[in-house]
Amino acid sequence: MPDYDFSQVDAAIIDSQLNTARVFRDVLIRLGFRRVELFDSVRAAAGLLNAAMPDLVLLDADGEDSEAFRFIRALRNEPGVPNPFACVIVTTWAPTPALLTRVTNVGGDDLLMKPVSPKQVRDRIVSLIEARKGFVVTADYTGPDRRKSPREGAQVPVLDAPNTLRLKAAGQWTQSGARMLLNEAIANVTIQKRLRASIQVAFLVEFALDGLARPVPDRMAIDHVGRIGGFLDDLLRRLGLVDDGDHAPVEAVARAVKTLADKVRAAAERGGPVPAEDREQLQALSRALMQAVDPDRPLEAMTREVSAAVTGYRSRLEQIAQAKAAAAAALSAVPADDASVSAPPPGAGDQASSALPAG
């Protein structure tokens, strides 16, 4: 194992249990870390997102866990964070599959169970230096690649994200060189976020069209249209962050899509049919948005990607419905006295997530 030098690595420990935080600090110091900051809450550490993001964060998930996950999501996705690629190890006294899923879905690198030994901490840190996963960027996720198998549609590219922990520990760090790598990667993320947001909007529209065409619009279709505005807001705030051309056409189309989506949703919420011309125009505008954001890619290829994603999403929804029906049938067949021992298959009640390729 290489003899890494951690003396220049900046680390932060965020843990509401002071004794535990001190144990982690002592472990890092024994490993050679000299710059370790302690924070007793996520709120106390909020300034890291704006000015001095460290290379390594140990973040407790046992206190206000929702705050911890919001911190990671903000770190990975908010424009202006100086190092959105910082290594994040979430710590807990009670690891569960559900917690691991949450850590993965917000962009954390690893989950470490307390109490820990210096060897366990070092092994996790070395793994982040030598075998960290590449990053993927989708409309609502930025972080280590979480895909276990290919998804429908075009595959999201993997970004070789700058790893300042590795650069410093391996003696390859220079301030100017690292800043250049970070700026290039952040610009790449910004561009990918805009691309994926435009495709996500088209996906939401495409999925909702059938439900909006019914005499009484489908609830799921209305909810999907309701999500469009959030992705458009994120796309709009990322215009101008990278000097890559005139963004006026993108802004104009995005605002037109948002206005029409709000109109369509309002009509659907009233319980009446959505006029065919509004549905057709919403589809046309969503495709125009994809073309405006990525003018070099054929529109036909993008619409195929969206159609494949919608097909895959509908298939998964159908599988979930069938699993729920099978579980209900099995439960109803069990005598009342034995019903407590019957349970639906794992995952049968899970909510379906976005069908577009994700990390």
Side-chain angles (χ1 to χ4, degrees):
M1 182 182 297
D3 186 18
Y4 294 112
D5 178 8
F6 299 117
S7 63
Q8 299 304 309
V9 176
D10 292 290
I13 299 169
I14 307 173
D15 198 316
S16 60
Q17 298 178 352
L18 186 57
N19 288 338
T20 304
R22 287 172 175 166
V23 168
F24 274 117
R25 181 184 62 186
D26 291 344
V27 168
L28 293 182
I29 289 174
R30 275 181 281 178
L31 292 175
F33 286 74
R34 296 179 185 173
R35 304 195 299 227
V36 182
E37 286 191 272
L38 298 186
F39 299 91
D40 62 4
S41 69
V42 169
R43 290 183 181 180
L48 296 177
L49 297 174
N50 301 317
M53 198 64 226
D55 312 296
L56 173 67
V57 180
L58 300 181
L59 176 59
D60 170 54
D62 293 335
E64 299 180 60
D65 64 346
S66 59
E67 292 290 330
F69 294 121
R70 275 196 288 268
F71 179 89
I72 300 173
R73 187 175 292 279
L75 162 66
R76 298 294 190 223
N77 293 281
E78 286 298 316
V81 176
N83 182 10
F85 314 108
C87 296
V88 179
I89 298 176
V90 177
T91 62
T92 181
W93 290 101
T96 64
L99 180 61
L100 178 58
T101 297
R102 293 186 72 186
V103 171
T104 302
N105 285 343
V106 296
D109 286 283
D110 206 347
L111 179 65
L112 180 61
M113 184 179 70
K114 306 171 186 176
V116 298
S117 68
K119 182 179 185 305
Q120 287 175 312
V121 176
R122 178 181 169 81
D123 287 348
R124 299 300 179 92
I125 293 173
V126 169
S127 178
L128 290 176
I129 293 171
E130 298 180 351
R132 191 187 194 192
K133 292 180 179 180
F135 270 45
V136 295
V137 181
T138 71
D140 56 1
Y141 174 83
T142 303
D145 190 354
R146 54 191 179 172
R147 293 171 292 188
K148 295 181 180 179
S149 61
R151 309 285 181 90
E152 297 86 359
Q155 292 302 297
V156 178
V158 177
L159 170 67
D160 185 15
N163 186 341
T164 57
L165 168 64
R166 182 180 66 227
L167 293 175
K168 289 183 178 180
Q172 301 170 353
W173 168 269
T174 66
Q175 184 72 34
S176 59
R179 191 68 259 167
M180 182 179 69
L181 289 174
L182 286 168
N183 287 342
E184 289 178 354
I186 289 171
N188 191 351
V189 167
T190 298
I191 293 170
Q192 285 298 316
K193 279 284 188 186
R194 297 190 313 223
L195 291 172
R196 302 317 301 179
S198 68
I199 294 175
Q200 182 72 29
V201 167
F203 163 81
L204 292 170
V205 170
E206 195 75 22
F207 176 82
L209 287 177
D210 286 348
L212 295 175
R214 297 175 183 176
V216 177
D218 177 73
R219 182 71 249 174
M220 184 175 287
I222 297 173
D223 291 342
H224 278 62
V225 172
R227 296 177 58 202
I228 290 172
F231 290 110
L232 290 173
D233 287 341
D234 189 68
L235 188 158
L236 287 167
R237 71 176 179 155
R238 294 180 189 276
L239 297 179
L241 296 180
V242 179
D243 185 13
D244 60 342
D246 180 16
H247 299 127
V250 175
E251 181 176 1
V253 178
R255 294 195 183 282
V257 174
K258 188 173 183 179
T259 298
L260 184 55
D262 289 343
K263 176 185 175 183
V264 165
R265 184 186 183 192
E269 290 281 12
R270 290 193 293 269
V274 176
E277 57 268 27
D278 285 346
R279 287 183 274 115
E280 293 169 2
Q281 186 181 8
L282 186 59
Q283 182 184 51
L285 282 173
S286 69
R287 293 178 176 180
L289 179 63
M290 289 194 296
Q291 190 72 88
V293 172
D294 193 1
D296 295 329
R297 188 177 176 201
L299 179 58
E300 182 181 353
M302 290 187 278
T303 54
R304 281 200 306 268
E305 176 181 344
V306 170
S307 295
V310 170
T311 299
Y313 185 38
R314 291 191 188 282
S315 176
R316 287 199 291 278
L317 289 176
E318 180 62 27
Q319 290 170 4
I320 291 171
Q322 290 174 356
K324 286 183 177 180
L331 187 61
S332 65
V334 176
D337 291 344
D338 298 331
S340 61
V341 302
S342 179
D350 290 347
Q351 292 290 328
S353 60
S354 170
L356 284 177

